[in-house]
Short mmCIF file of all heavy atoms in Angstrom, two decimals:
data_model
loop_
_atom_site.label_atom_id
_atom_site.label_comp_id
_atom_site.label_asym_id
_atom_site.label_seq_id
_atom_site.Cartn_x
_atom_site.Cartn_y
_atom_site.Cartn_z
N THR A 1 -8.48 9.78 17.33
CA THR A 1 -9.40 8.99 16.59
C THR A 1 -9.92 7.83 17.34
O THR A 1 -10.90 7.12 17.01
CB THR A 1 -8.88 8.51 15.19
OG1 THR A 1 -7.71 7.82 15.48
CG2 THR A 1 -8.53 9.71 14.41
N GLY A 2 -9.10 7.38 18.37
CA GLY A 2 -9.48 6.18 19.05
C GLY A 2 -9.08 4.93 18.31
O GLY A 2 -9.55 3.79 18.64
N ARG A 3 -8.29 5.07 17.18
CA ARG A 3 -7.87 3.89 16.40
C ARG A 3 -6.36 3.68 16.53
O ARG A 3 -5.63 4.60 16.05
CB ARG A 3 -8.22 4.17 14.97
CG ARG A 3 -9.73 4.28 14.71
CD ARG A 3 -10.04 4.53 13.30
NE ARG A 3 -9.61 3.44 12.45
CZ ARG A 3 -10.52 2.51 12.02
NH1 ARG A 3 -11.76 2.51 12.35
NH2 ARG A 3 -10.07 1.44 11.26
N PRO A 4 -5.86 2.65 17.08
CA PRO A 4 -4.40 2.45 17.28
C PRO A 4 -3.83 2.36 15.81
O PRO A 4 -4.43 1.84 14.84
CB PRO A 4 -4.38 1.10 17.89
CG PRO A 4 -5.68 0.96 18.66
CD PRO A 4 -6.66 1.61 17.78
N ALA A 5 -2.55 2.89 15.71
CA ALA A 5 -1.90 2.89 14.45
C ALA A 5 -1.02 1.72 14.25
O ALA A 5 -0.32 1.27 15.13
CB ALA A 5 -1.03 4.24 14.36
N ARG A 6 -1.13 1.11 13.13
CA ARG A 6 -0.14 0.05 12.71
C ARG A 6 1.06 0.77 12.05
O ARG A 6 0.88 1.46 11.03
CB ARG A 6 -0.73 -0.90 11.71
CG ARG A 6 -1.81 -1.89 12.44
CD ARG A 6 -2.11 -3.02 11.55
NE ARG A 6 -2.50 -2.66 10.18
CZ ARG A 6 -3.78 -2.43 9.80
NH1 ARG A 6 -4.74 -2.58 10.67
NH2 ARG A 6 -4.12 -2.14 8.57
N VAL A 7 2.23 0.52 12.70
CA VAL A 7 3.46 1.29 12.23
C VAL A 7 4.54 0.36 11.71
O VAL A 7 4.71 -0.66 12.33
CB VAL A 7 3.94 2.12 13.47
CG1 VAL A 7 5.38 2.60 13.17
CG2 VAL A 7 3.00 3.28 13.69
N HIS A 8 5.26 0.71 10.68
CA HIS A 8 6.43 0.04 10.17
C HIS A 8 7.56 0.96 10.47
O HIS A 8 7.57 2.16 9.88
CB HIS A 8 6.28 -0.27 8.77
CG HIS A 8 5.19 -1.23 8.35
ND1 HIS A 8 5.45 -2.41 7.64
CD2 HIS A 8 3.92 -1.07 8.55
CE1 HIS A 8 4.28 -3.00 7.49
NE2 HIS A 8 3.24 -2.23 8.09
N LEU A 9 8.61 0.61 11.14
CA LEU A 9 9.81 1.44 11.35
C LEU A 9 10.71 1.30 10.14
O LEU A 9 11.20 0.16 9.81
CB LEU A 9 10.54 0.98 12.55
CG LEU A 9 9.76 1.09 13.88
CD1 LEU A 9 10.57 0.61 15.06
CD2 LEU A 9 9.27 2.47 14.18
N LYS A 10 10.92 2.41 9.49
CA LYS A 10 11.86 2.48 8.26
C LYS A 10 13.29 2.76 8.79
O LYS A 10 13.56 3.64 9.38
CB LYS A 10 11.40 3.55 7.30
CG LYS A 10 12.38 3.74 6.17
CD LYS A 10 12.29 2.64 5.04
CE LYS A 10 13.13 2.90 3.97
NZ LYS A 10 12.69 3.99 3.09
N ILE A 11 14.14 1.75 8.39
CA ILE A 11 15.56 1.86 8.88
C ILE A 11 16.48 2.23 7.67
O ILE A 11 16.38 1.75 6.58
CB ILE A 11 16.08 0.52 9.41
CG1 ILE A 11 15.06 -0.05 10.44
CG2 ILE A 11 17.41 0.70 10.07
CD1 ILE A 11 14.71 0.79 11.54
N ASP A 12 17.24 3.32 7.84
CA ASP A 12 18.28 3.67 6.88
C ASP A 12 19.46 2.74 7.05
O ASP A 12 20.36 3.00 7.80
CB ASP A 12 18.68 5.19 6.95
CG ASP A 12 19.68 5.55 5.84
OD1 ASP A 12 20.14 4.70 5.11
OD2 ASP A 12 19.83 6.76 5.60
N THR A 13 19.53 1.61 6.23
CA THR A 13 20.61 0.73 6.38
C THR A 13 21.78 1.02 5.46
O THR A 13 22.68 0.18 5.39
CB THR A 13 20.04 -0.75 6.11
OG1 THR A 13 19.47 -0.83 4.71
CG2 THR A 13 19.02 -1.13 7.13
N GLY A 14 21.70 2.04 4.75
CA GLY A 14 22.78 2.38 3.87
C GLY A 14 22.46 3.15 2.56
O GLY A 14 23.35 3.66 1.89
N LEU A 15 21.17 3.38 2.35
CA LEU A 15 20.80 4.10 1.12
C LEU A 15 21.05 5.61 1.30
O LEU A 15 21.26 6.37 0.38
CB LEU A 15 19.34 3.81 0.81
CG LEU A 15 18.74 4.51 -0.43
CD1 LEU A 15 19.53 4.10 -1.65
CD2 LEU A 15 17.28 4.18 -0.57
N GLY A 16 20.99 6.06 2.64
CA GLY A 16 21.20 7.49 2.79
C GLY A 16 20.02 8.38 2.32
O GLY A 16 20.18 9.50 1.96
N ARG A 17 18.72 7.84 2.45
CA ARG A 17 17.59 8.56 2.09
C ARG A 17 16.63 8.53 3.18
O ARG A 17 17.04 8.87 4.32
CB ARG A 17 17.00 7.81 0.84
CG ARG A 17 16.19 8.64 -0.10
CD ARG A 17 15.81 7.96 -1.38
NE ARG A 17 14.97 6.81 -1.14
CZ ARG A 17 14.41 6.03 -2.10
NH1 ARG A 17 14.66 6.30 -3.39
NH2 ARG A 17 13.61 5.02 -1.79
N ASN A 18 15.44 8.21 3.08
CA ASN A 18 14.42 8.31 4.19
C ASN A 18 14.67 7.09 5.11
O ASN A 18 14.98 6.02 4.68
CB ASN A 18 13.05 8.32 3.70
CG ASN A 18 12.04 8.96 4.57
OD1 ASN A 18 12.37 9.86 5.22
ND2 ASN A 18 10.78 8.47 4.55
N GLY A 19 14.55 7.33 6.36
CA GLY A 19 14.71 6.26 7.37
C GLY A 19 15.46 6.61 8.69
O GLY A 19 16.11 7.71 8.68
N ILE A 20 15.24 5.84 9.64
CA ILE A 20 16.01 6.08 11.01
C ILE A 20 17.41 5.57 10.90
O ILE A 20 17.63 4.42 10.49
CB ILE A 20 15.20 5.30 12.04
CG1 ILE A 20 13.76 5.80 12.11
CG2 ILE A 20 15.84 5.59 13.43
CD1 ILE A 20 12.89 4.88 13.01
N MET A 21 18.36 6.38 11.27
CA MET A 21 19.70 5.94 11.27
C MET A 21 19.93 4.96 12.45
O MET A 21 19.27 5.04 13.51
CB MET A 21 20.68 7.14 11.39
CG MET A 21 20.72 8.09 10.24
SD MET A 21 21.31 7.32 8.81
CE MET A 21 23.00 7.10 9.14
N PRO A 22 20.84 3.90 12.23
CA PRO A 22 20.99 2.95 13.24
C PRO A 22 21.38 3.51 14.59
O PRO A 22 20.94 3.00 15.70
CB PRO A 22 22.14 2.08 12.59
CG PRO A 22 21.94 2.16 11.16
CD PRO A 22 21.44 3.57 10.90
N ALA A 23 22.13 4.59 14.61
CA ALA A 23 22.55 5.21 15.79
C ALA A 23 21.37 5.81 16.61
O ALA A 23 21.35 5.96 17.86
CB ALA A 23 23.55 6.27 15.67
N ASP A 24 20.33 6.19 15.87
CA ASP A 24 19.12 6.78 16.54
C ASP A 24 18.05 5.72 16.77
O ASP A 24 17.01 6.09 17.37
CB ASP A 24 18.55 7.84 15.53
CG ASP A 24 19.49 9.02 15.22
OD1 ASP A 24 20.29 9.35 16.21
OD2 ASP A 24 19.53 9.48 14.14
N LEU A 25 18.32 4.58 16.40
CA LEU A 25 17.21 3.52 16.55
C LEU A 25 16.88 3.20 18.01
O LEU A 25 15.68 3.03 18.29
CB LEU A 25 17.56 2.25 15.76
CG LEU A 25 16.58 1.12 15.79
CD1 LEU A 25 15.28 1.65 15.12
CD2 LEU A 25 17.04 -0.08 15.02
N PRO A 26 17.81 3.05 18.88
CA PRO A 26 17.45 2.73 20.33
C PRO A 26 16.44 3.72 20.86
O PRO A 26 15.43 3.36 21.51
CB PRO A 26 18.74 2.72 21.06
CG PRO A 26 19.81 2.37 19.93
CD PRO A 26 19.25 3.01 18.75
N GLY A 27 16.67 4.98 20.59
CA GLY A 27 15.77 5.96 21.18
C GLY A 27 14.39 5.84 20.50
O GLY A 27 13.36 5.97 21.23
N ALA A 28 14.38 5.65 19.18
CA ALA A 28 13.02 5.54 18.49
C ALA A 28 12.33 4.29 19.00
O ALA A 28 11.09 4.27 19.20
CB ALA A 28 13.36 5.48 16.98
N VAL A 29 13.04 3.24 19.25
CA VAL A 29 12.40 1.97 19.65
C VAL A 29 11.83 2.19 21.04
O VAL A 29 10.77 1.72 21.37
CB VAL A 29 13.44 0.80 19.60
CG1 VAL A 29 12.84 -0.42 20.34
CG2 VAL A 29 13.74 0.43 18.14
N ALA A 30 12.59 2.81 21.97
CA ALA A 30 12.10 3.06 23.31
C ALA A 30 10.82 3.87 23.25
O ALA A 30 9.78 3.56 24.02
CB ALA A 30 13.16 3.78 24.14
N ARG A 31 10.77 4.85 22.41
CA ARG A 31 9.55 5.70 22.26
C ARG A 31 8.38 4.81 21.70
O ARG A 31 7.29 4.86 22.20
CB ARG A 31 9.88 6.89 21.38
CG ARG A 31 8.67 7.81 21.17
CD ARG A 31 8.17 8.46 22.45
NE ARG A 31 7.08 9.41 22.21
CZ ARG A 31 6.24 9.64 23.08
NH1 ARG A 31 6.13 9.04 24.21
NH2 ARG A 31 5.20 10.56 22.81
N ALA A 32 8.73 4.07 20.69
CA ALA A 32 7.63 3.18 20.07
C ALA A 32 7.15 2.27 21.16
O ALA A 32 5.92 1.97 21.17
CB ALA A 32 8.24 2.50 18.89
#
């Protein structure tokens, strides 16, 4: 689309539902 995306990283801090697990966060951050 040529439109940059505004993104919010959702972190699973303990709810055990939707979100990036802390152990997986470094990889996700590097990609972001």
Side-chain angles (χ1 to χ4, degrees):
T1 61
R3 298 178 65 98
R6 290 195 304 270
V7 165
H8 298 236
L9 299 178
K10 173 73 178 293
I11 314 301
D12 185 346
T13 59
L15 181 59
R17 207 172 61 176
N18 207 32
I20 302 167
M21 292 298 291
D24 299 326
L25 185 60
V29 170
R31 179 63 176 149

